[in-house]
Amino acid sequence: DIVMTQTPLSSPVTLGQPASISCRSSQSLVHSDGNTYLSWLQQRPGQPPRLLIYKISNRFSGVPDRFSGSGAGTDFTLKISRVEAEDVGVYYCTQTTQFPHTFGQGTKLEIK
Amino acid sequence: QVQLVESGGGVVQPGGSLRLSCAASGFTFSTYGMRWVRQAPGKGLEWVAFIRYDGANRYYADSVNGRFTISRDNSKNTLYLQMNSLRAEDTAVYHCATESMRNWGQGTLVTVSS
């Protein structure tokens, strides 16, 4: 199974400041079709998860452009350029390149 | 708009069974793979199972393989999860989601307890 490791697990951030979350996979996420199926999800308190980024760097419809994804192979990053109060929640990376699909442990973003 | 509505959760004794349903609307259900993802209280997300758009291929997490069965009825726009031999560690909110994870249901709570 592919293990997804996120760092940090907790990230206190000042409003208006940037935030960054790292996700590392135990093996390459490049699929045989050439795509890399690495996504980022946001889960606000009391809500179901919400897709932010798919295939490393593609923002889903309606996601603010302060969110961006990057990386390749086994190392990926989610960046928030300027954190807003509504960004509080837990962020997960997930791979759907290979079954079983797996999630990172989650990174809790909170405001200082 | 796309809607996914789970139902069927509840309290069940260890060793018991439950069947979850996920009613889909607002999109062509029969052309999308679907997944179940669960979240134990205070814990992270865990992928449970996936079924292809036509039901031809199904995949399971090791933790539920042999006990859970994912299925779908495209004529009813409904996804199912049959859960047998339930254990305390299966206690969680169960969400259905589309293959791309662009759409999620609110979830249904399953509690396994004596």
Side-chain angles (χ1 to χ4, degrees):
Chain A
D1 298 3
I2 298 177
V3 177
M4 306 296 288
T5 304
Q6 290 182 226
T7 53
L9 297 184
S10 178
S11 181
V13 182
T14 302
L15 287 174
Q17 293 301 302
S20 179
I21 301 170
S22 173
C23 176
R24 179 166 290 179
S25 58
S26 60
Q27 55 188 275
S28 173
L29 298 186
V30 179
H31 192 276
S32 56
D33 65 8
N35 289 306
T36 300
Y37 295 99
L38 183 284
S39 301
W40 290 95
L41 305 171
Q42 174 197 59
Q43 188 173 31
R44 291 170 172 152
Q47 295 294 314
R50 167 198 179 198
L51 180 67
L52 294 177
I53 303 284
Y54 61 97
K55 287 195 284 186
I56 302 177
S57 59
N58 296 274
R59 258 190 316 276
F60 181 46
S61 173
V63 174
D65 60 8
R66 64 178 181 275
F67 290 92
S68 64
S70 63
T74 62
D75 286 286
F76 307 93
T77 303
L78 175 71
K79 291 183 179 177
I80 309 173
S81 58
R82 293 173 306 280
V83 170
E84 298 189 5
E86 66 178 19
D87 300 335
V88 165
V90 181
Y91 292 78
Y92 297 92
C93 62
T94 179
Q95 67 82 19
T96 54
T97 292
Q98 179 184 122
F99 288 104
H101 295 169
T102 45
F103 290 91
Q105 318 96 300
T107 295
K108 187 173 185 178
L109 184 75
E110 49 196 7
I111 306 300
K112 276 184 188 173
Chain B
Q1 75 280 20
V2 173
Q3 269 204 308
L4 297 172
V5 180
E6 303 93 338
S7 60
V11 180
V12 61
Q13 291 190 338
S17 298
L18 273 180
R19 187 176 84 154
L20 306 184
S21 299
C22 169
S25 59
F27 66 106
T28 309
F29 178 74
S30 61
T31 63
Y32 288 87
M34 295 292 295
R35 64 182 68 244
W36 287 98
V37 173
R38 69 184 180 183
Q39 187 167 32
K43 302 297 184 182
L45 301 174
E46 180 186 14
W47 173 77
V48 173
F50 174 85
I51 186 167
R52 220 175 70 158
Y53 69 97
D54 57 1
N57 295 91
R58 312 174 196 205
Y59 304 88
Y60 299 92
D62 290 346
S63 57
V64 307
N65 198 22
R67 301 186 298 122
F68 289 13
T69 302
I70 188 172
S71 63
R72 62 191 299 157
D73 186 335
N74 286 344
S75 69
K76 295 182 178 179
N77 290 344
T78 303
L79 175 73
Y80 301 102
L81 186 68
Q82 177 66 43
M83 304 187 296
N84 299 330
S85 303
L86 282 161
R87 305 167 180 167
E89 54 265 35
D90 295 319
T91 294
V93 173
Y94 286 73
H95 296 277
C96 63
T98 53
E99 176 173 3
S100 63
M101 292 179 288
R102 296 182 181 196
N103 304 99
W104 291 72
Q106 290 290 325
T108 186
L109 176 61
V110 173
T111 302
V112 184
S113 173
S114 53

